[in-house]
Amino acid sequence: MKKLICLLISFLIIFTACGKKVEKNALEKIVDRDLLVVGIKSDSKPFCYKSRKTGDFEGFDIDVARYVAKDIIGNERKIKFVEVDPNNRIEAITSGDVDMVIATMTITPQRQYLVDFSIPYYIAGQTALVKEDSDIYTFADLRKKTTIVVLGTTAEQNIRKIIPTARLVGYKDYKTAFNAFLQGKGDAISTDDTLISGFMIDHKGYRMLKNKISQEPYGIGIKQYDDKKLKTTLDVIITRMKKDGTLNNLKHKWHLK
Ligand code: GLU
C-alpha cells in the first residue's frame, strides 16, 4: 500500500511539472513574434500623425518606436502600428492588444495603478490655444469660457481641478477637437504645448497662452508584468537615447524646444 501511494505521488509530481507551461515574458514574446505592436495616434503632430504625402505614420513618437524596434528585434521596420485614442489607450495595453503605447502619454500616478511606464523620454507642459484677437491671456481668463479638451487626457483632469467653473466640451480625439475649435465651438482648446505647436504649423491666426499649468512627462506605457524585464529594457534604451544625443536630435528634427 505504502509503495502504491509513493508511486501515485511520484506520478502526480511528474504530471504537474510537465503540464505547467512556462509563461514567456513580454520581451521574449516580442522577440519570438519578430514584430513590435505599438499603439500610436494618427492626429498628434509632430509626435504621431499620418503623413498626407506618404500615408505613413511619422513623428517623434514614431521615431522612438523605430529605435525601440531596432534595439529589441534588430529591425526598425518590424512594427505594426495600431491607432489608439487617449480614451482607450490604457485598455489597449491591459488587454494585450499592443505591446506598448508610444503616444504623447503622460506618466501619472493614477495611470500607474493600471499600467507601467518607462522613464520619461520627453517633458511637455499643458497650455491652451486661442484666437489671435481673443481676450483670453491666462488660464484664469478661461473661467466662464468654453474650453475644448480631449476626453481621458490629463488636460481634461487638470482644467477640471484648477478651474472648476470652466465650461468644458470634450471630444474623443485631437482631429475632432481641433476641428471643433476651428468651427468656433469653444473659446480655447487646452492640451500639451507640443500638440498646440503642431497645430500652429498648419494654421495661422492663433495664439498659445504663455503659462503652462503642468509638466507632462511622456513615457512608454506597457502592461504590468511581475518580472519587469520589458520595463528595464525600455529604461536602458531611453537612457541610451538621452546619452547618445538621439532624443536631442529628434527634438531638432521635429522643431521642438
Ligand atoms: N499628454 C497628455 C495625456 O497623456 C495629453 C496628450 C495626449 O492625450 O496624448 O493625457
Side-chain angles (χ1 to χ4, degrees):
M1 186 67 180
K2 217 176 180 187
K3 258 191 190 167
L4 191 70
I5 292 174
C6 282
L7 204 69
L8 269 175
I9 291 174
S10 323
F11 264 133
L12 212 65
I13 291 171
I14 294 168
F15 193 72
T16 324
C18 292
K20 201 173 182 182
K21 267 197 215 148
V22 181
E23 181 73 43
K24 277 187 201 149
N25 70 44
L27 193 59
E28 282 169 354
K29 274 188 203 157
I30 297 166
V31 175
D32 283 1
R33 196 196 302 125
D34 204 23
L35 185 76
L36 185 67
V37 184
V38 183
I40 46 118
K41 291 182 286 163
S42 60
D43 56 4
S44 296
K45 208 172 181 177
F47 273 77
C48 32
Y49 66 99
K50 209 169 204 168
S51 155
R52 274 202 215 137
K53 258 195 231 154
T54 62
D56 287 338
F57 291 113
E58 287 181 358
F60 191 107
D61 280 339
I62 304 299
D63 287 341
V64 171
R66 298 223 179 273
Y67 192 103
V68 171
K70 176 108 187 34
D71 198 281
I72 296 182
I73 40 184
N75 188 335
E76 63 167 37
R77 309 304 309 178
K78 288 194 172 169
I79 304 183
K80 180 181 163 201
F81 290 117
V82 175
E83 284 186 48
V84 295
D85 291 330
N87 222 355
N88 68 13
R89 63 188 158 191
I90 298 261
E91 200 188 317
I93 297 170
T94 54
S95 66
D97 283 354
V98 298
D99 296 316
M100 56 191 65
V101 162
I102 311 181
T104 65
M105 192 173 177
T106 301
I107 304 166
T108 70
Q110 292 101 314
R111 289 175 181 167
Q112 278 171 320
Y113 275 118
L114 303 168
V115 295
D116 276 346
F117 283 99
S118 67
I119 54 169
Y121 61 88
Y122 187 90
I123 313 272
Q126 183 181 344
T127 183
L129 181 74
V130 295
K131 276 195 186 153
E132 194 101 69
D133 58 3
S134 162
D135 59 354
I136 301 168
Y137 289 93
T138 65
F139 271 85
D141 296 335
L142 289 179
R143 273 177 272 167
K144 297 189 185 131
K145 298 274 188 186
T146 302
T147 303
I148 294 172
V149 288
V150 173
L151 298 168
T153 62
T154 47
E156 179 195 0
Q157 283 174 0
N158 292 339
I159 298 229
R160 282 192 198 283
K161 212 176 351 170
I162 295 167
I163 320 159
T165 55
R167 271 194 303 268
L168 289 192
V169 194
Y171 292 89
K172 129 180 197 301
D173 54 35
Y174 284 97
K175 193 172 172 206
T176 47
F178 275 116
N179 275 340
F181 179 63
L182 286 171
Q183 287 161 17
K185 293 195 177 148
D187 304 296
I189 177 165
S190 183
T191 183
D192 297 345
D193 53 351
T194 48
L195 305 184
I196 290 179
S197 308
F199 174 88
M200 288 173 83
I201 295 172
D202 301 323
H203 302 86
K204 302 291 162 229
Y206 297 93
R207 172 163 57 77
M208 180 153 75
L209 298 195
K210 290 210 172 87
N211 55 328
K212 295 193 183 109
I213 54 166
S214 68
Q215 275 219 336
E216 305 287 331
Y218 293 169
I220 301 178
I222 54 168
K223 200 168 172 171
Q224 292 178 332
Y225 290 96
D226 291 340
D227 64 32
K228 306 273 174 211
K229 262 198 189 142
L230 183 56
K231 176 179 161 45
T232 318
T233 305
L234 292 175
D235 289 352
V236 169
I237 293 174
I238 292 171
T239 306
R240 183 160 10 95
M241 290 176 92
K242 279 182 189 161
K243 281 197 191 141
D244 71 9
T246 304
L247 287 181
N248 245 335
N249 293 342
L250 287 184
K251 274 189 198 170
H252 291 298
K253 177 177 173 187
W254 296 108
H255 310 288
L256 294 153
K257 274 178 220 136

